[in-house]
């Protein structure tokens, strides 16, 4: 077994070696630009880790794993068009650097390109990998649709929110773990157990992301703090705050939500103070720990070396303590 | 063998039987809407025809063939966003009926949904079908990119135009024929010969489309005549006209191209008259006949029943004589 950073280095090298056709450059340059913008490479690294934990050779997982990273970056590319986001990982997004049409079309090409990488497996593994990948992709679109639907709704429940982030974020981490297990020719029950590990970890991961938007350090976070707060995004924190706030807290929170002209340096600290008053920081941390524990428990049901188990739990600890 | 209309009826029935998930409706309703808007169903029908001609059972081609129709309609959905087209097959386009974000996301889902249908084949055929489909999809994006690039260029040659329409339109007809042959377990050489049939037919088909924009009957064409002329779209006709026009024709054509405020009922007949004066109607018809002959010649190299050959040539004749 290797450390997460070693798996990430292997994924990064494979990504750096991707050959993009030169022409038409308007189609392929935005894909190369997107893939060169870095990121944690969490999904392919997880796939490699799961493959080795399940007794496989990481070379059998590598190209499909890169397919997952291509897919993830395609979703970010199109999401940035839909969200009108200008900056991603410190650089202009594709629709800002080029234009909307380029972002739409090169995103489409990126999805098919990702599918081509998933298909770079042996014929015998292809049906399982392709079914897993396509199903996961559909769920992710569903998650994005619910996320957009929630913007128009005032009564989103915590359960609905958790289901939305499960679809939008967690299933791809589950898919990465299962894909690695399939590359190791694990049986379906074992592969599904790997899926559950990634799925639970993904929920912890996204709740941690919600917290970073509120309590992250602007110097390390990579994007501005308080974006969710400014957009009244219905996160785990805001939904719970609206449910739990009483008296002055409730009145102030509703006023802050309703004030469309609020200054960032006023609104963000004010909402944060309400969250803290309601002890939502502790409540979020507890929820994250619960999902983390669930991931560890799923791990306990899988037959793997202590070294492999340690690699996963080390990664979990790192993800839920991360600052970016 | 059946007639084209019979294959189209089988495809239409399978399309009508597609089950779309109900929720989230913002994601799936636009897909169902798009697929219910009709169309010739040329691609799946061709796949079924090729499958039977190659000695296969059309049930083995049917679901992947529907995947091609889903894919084709996905490309139209996203192209309509990029081209800001409001009407398709007499109905509002998805981005007009809903909005751009819905069109982007449901288009993405439609591409993955199409891929899922392609994958509804036997494990042994999956690698060939998946490779063919993904390669074709990438070429179609390339064609769309070249089409958009050409809008910014003044020196597009006839050869470049033909290559663009080959990518944007013909390869999917080639893919449909080859996919049918693969469903019949044809060897690679035979399957490639089927591909060539579709590819040549596709070039004839697109040149006919260019002609319909100029000389089509508005009552049967389904969209307004002269759209390409009004947009100065660099079609086979306009590129040749610019190359061939001399004296008064050249001056008048350049003035019509430069006039951004030209009235439709003035510009369309004026450009049409120049095309006719330059005998481009005859020149286009000759080019169409050449590609049609090439498709027939490719057919001659494939071992199939006279009945199957007749089904293809009857379809060719109909396509190059079609009025919509």
């Amino acid at each position: 077994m290797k450390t997460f950073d070693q798996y990430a280095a292997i994924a990064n090298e494979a990504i750096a070696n991707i050959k993009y056709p030169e022409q038409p450059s308007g189609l392929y340059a935005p894909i190369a630009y997107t893939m060169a913008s870095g990121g944690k490479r969490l999904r392919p690294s997880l796939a490699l880790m799961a493959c080795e934990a399940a007794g496989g050779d990481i070379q059998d997982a590598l190209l499909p794993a890169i397919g997952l990273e291509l897919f993830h970056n395609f979703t970010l590319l199109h999401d940035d068009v839909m969200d009108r986001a200008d900056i991603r990982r410190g650089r202009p997004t594709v629709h800002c650097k080029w234009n909307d049409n380029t972002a739409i079309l090169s995103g489409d090409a990126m999805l098919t390109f990702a599918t081509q990488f998933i298909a770079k497996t042996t014929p015998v593994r292809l049906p399982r990998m392709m079914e897993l990948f396509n199903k996961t992709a559909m769920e992710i679109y569903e998650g994005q649709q619910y996320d957009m639907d929630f913007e128009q709704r005032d009564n989103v429940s915590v359960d609905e929110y958790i289901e939305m982030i499960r679809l939008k974020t967690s299933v791809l981490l589950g898919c990465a773990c299962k894909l690695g297990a399939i590359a190791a020719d694990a049986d379906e029950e074992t592969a599904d157990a790997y899926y559950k590990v990634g799925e639970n970890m993904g929920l912890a991961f996204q709740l941690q992301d919600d917290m970073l938007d509120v309590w992250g350090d602007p110097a390390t976070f990579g994007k501005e703090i308080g974006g969710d707060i400014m957009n009244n995004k219905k996160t785990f924190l805001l939904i719970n705050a609206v449910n739990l706030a009483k008296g002055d807290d409730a009145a102030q929170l509703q006023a802050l939500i309703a004030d469309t002209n609020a200054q960032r340096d006023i609104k963000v600290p004010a909402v944060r103070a309400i969250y803290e008053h309601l002890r939502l920081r502790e409540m979020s941390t507890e929820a994250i720990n619960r999902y983390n524990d669930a991931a560890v428990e799923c791990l306990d049901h899988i037959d793997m070396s202590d070294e492999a188990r340690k690699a996963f739990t080390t990664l979990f600890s790192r993800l839920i303590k991360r600052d970016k």
Side-chain angles (χ1 to χ4, degrees), chain A:
Chain A
M1 291 296 293
K2 298 169 190 60
T3 65
F4 177 82
D5 289 339
Q6 287 171 318
Y7 291 119
I10 293 165
N12 264 318
E13 194 192 337
I15 289 165
N17 285 333
I18 296 173
K19 296 274 174 287
Y20 304 95
E22 299 223 336
Q23 293 298 332
S25 63
L27 187 67
Y28 293 112
I31 302 178
Y33 171 83
T34 302
M35 291 305 289
S37 73
K40 289 180 277 294
R41 311 305 192 194
L42 176 56
R43 292 144 194 89
S45 305
L46 259 183
L48 299 179
M49 190 183 276
C51 175
E52 215 159 45
D57 179 337
I58 57 172
Q59 289 305 319
D60 290 330
L62 187 56
L63 296 179
I66 300 311
L68 297 184
E69 186 68 10
L70 281 161
F71 175 81
H72 173 58
N73 279 272
F74 141 71
T75 64
L76 299 180
L77 199 168
H78 273 191
D79 283 2
D80 285 340
V81 179
M82 294 184 251
D83 299 341
R84 310 311 308 162
D86 297 343
I87 299 286
R88 164 81 61 188
R89 296 174 184 151
R91 307 200 309 172
T93 51
V94 168
H95 73 95
C96 281
K97 190 173 160 75
W98 284 272
N99 56 55
D100 280 15
N101 285 1
T102 294
I104 294 170
L105 188 65
S106 60
D108 293 346
M110 210 165 169
L111 169 52
T112 295
F113 200 52
T115 311
Q116 288 182 309
F117 270 77
I118 301 293
K120 289 179 195 288
T121 182
T122 58
V124 81
R125 294 181 188 127
L126 183 61
R128 290 178 83 187
M129 284 200 188
M130 198 49 68
E131 186 185 354
L132 169 66
F133 173 67
N134 287 327
K135 177 172 179 289
T136 302
M138 292 304 281
E139 289 176 333
I140 291 166
Y141 310 134
E142 291 180 2
Q144 168 71 1
Q145 182 67 47
Y146 284 122
D147 198 11
M148 296 195 303
D149 289 347
F150 288 178
E151 289 174 27
Q152 314 301 326
R153 283 180 47 196
D154 282 328
N155 57 346
V156 179
S157 69
V158 173
D159 284 352
E160 285 179 303
Y161 176 73
I162 296 290
E163 175 62 7
M164 184 276 281
I165 63 171
R166 189 186 73 80
L167 292 167
K168 187 166 169 173
T169 302
S170 300
V171 297
L172 190 54
L173 303 193
C175 168
C177 288
K178 182 168 176 175
L179 184 127
I182 292 172
D185 296 323
D187 60 51
E188 196 62 9
E189 195 185 340
T190 305
D192 282 337
Y194 274 97
Y195 183 93
K196 286 281 168 199
V197 170
E199 188 181 37
N200 278 296
M201 201 163 90
L203 292 168
F205 179 83
Q206 183 57 48
L207 292 182
Q208 174 69 8
D209 216 56
D210 289 0
M211 288 187 76
L212 283 171
D213 184 75
V214 180
W215 291 288
D217 177 353
T220 52
F221 188 45
K223 52 187 173 183
E224 223 169 353
I225 295 295
D228 291 346
I229 292 176
M230 292 308 292
N231 295 322
N232 295 330
K233 189 164 166 66
K234 295 179 188 80
T235 64
F236 185 79
L237 294 161
L238 183 57
I239 294 167
N240 274 301
V242 168
N243 288 347
L244 297 173
K246 301 216 160 29
D248 285 353
D249 275 348
Q252 203 198 340
L253 186 60
Q254 288 306 332
L256 285 161
I257 290 171
D259 182 359
T260 52
N261 294 316
Q263 297 286 312
R264 180 179 282 263
D265 58 356
I266 309 236
K267 179 166 176 172
V268 174
V271 172
R272 186 192 291 131
I274 296 172
Y275 287 172
E276 289 172 358
H277 190 225
L278 295 168
R279 301 195 59 80
L280 291 180
R281 191 167 187 170
E282 292 76 2
M283 189 177 165
S284 280
T285 304
E286 278 162 28
I288 290 167
N289 288 334
R290 260 200 321 275
Y291 289 118
N292 181 55
D293 292 348
V296 172
E297 209 197 302
C298 291
L299 215 52
D300 288 342
H301 291 115
I302 305 175
D303 182 29
M304 64 172 74
S305 70
D306 291 345
E307 195 193 356
R309 207 174 305 277
K310 187 81 196 304
F312 275 104
T313 53
T314 305
L315 172 61
F316 297 170
S317 304
R318 206 166 113 178
L319 285 176
I320 65 175
K321 284 178 194 136
R322 78 190 194 282
D323 55 10
K324 65 178 178 183

